[in-house]
Amino acid sequence: SFQGTLARSGIDIVGFKGFKDHHGYSVEELKNLIQDAKKAGAQGLITTEKDMVKLKQMVCDFPLMALRISVVPEEGFDNFVLEKLR
């Protein structure tokens, strides 16, 4: 779903590596991601804001960006939830 969101945002994806939710990144893993990205001609790495918190603590000599995603509920969503809770 993240990859689809990137594509719909108009980002030119030259490579993709997905991880499970709550993945614990290592410095070695980040180095390998950067190496693969450079080989693919990427201008940077992009991740979720949640994972950026983990990754920005590591030293990185390559642009590291986070895609900001916001959820806007449709009109009437709150009533839908309240009805289901009853």
Side-chain angles (χ1 to χ4, degrees), residues 6-22:
L6 292 172
R8 285 188 301 279
S9 297
I11 296 170
D12 183 21
I13 303 168
V14 297
F16 186 84
K17 173 78 173 153
F19 296 93
K20 291 184 178 185
D21 202 17
H22 304 290

Side-chain angles (χ1 to χ4, degrees), residues 3-82:
Q3 188 175 12
T5 301
L6 292 172
R8 285 188 301 279
S9 297
I11 296 170
D12 183 21
I13 303 168
V14 297
F16 186 84
K17 173 78 173 153
F19 296 93
K20 291 184 178 185
D21 202 17
H22 304 290
H23 181 74
Y25 298 93
S26 69
V27 172
E28 188 65 29
E29 193 169 39
L30 180 57
K31 287 179 183 179
N32 290 335
L33 288 169
I34 292 169
Q35 183 179 21
D36 291 347
K38 287 178 178 179
K39 284 180 185 176
Q43 296 177 358
L45 296 175
I46 189 161
T47 187
T48 62
E49 285 182 293
K50 184 175 77 169
D51 284 342
M52 177 64 99
V53 173
K54 300 173 198 175
L55 293 170
K56 73 179 181 180
Q57 297 173 8
M58 300 181 201
V59 175
C60 182
D61 65 344
F62 196 65
L64 185 58
M65 300 159 276
L67 179 66
R68 178 166 286 161
I69 299 172
S70 61
V71 177
V72 180
E74 293 182 15
E75 187 177 327
F77 179 74
D78 52 347
N79 290 331
F80 169 79
V81 171
L82 290 173

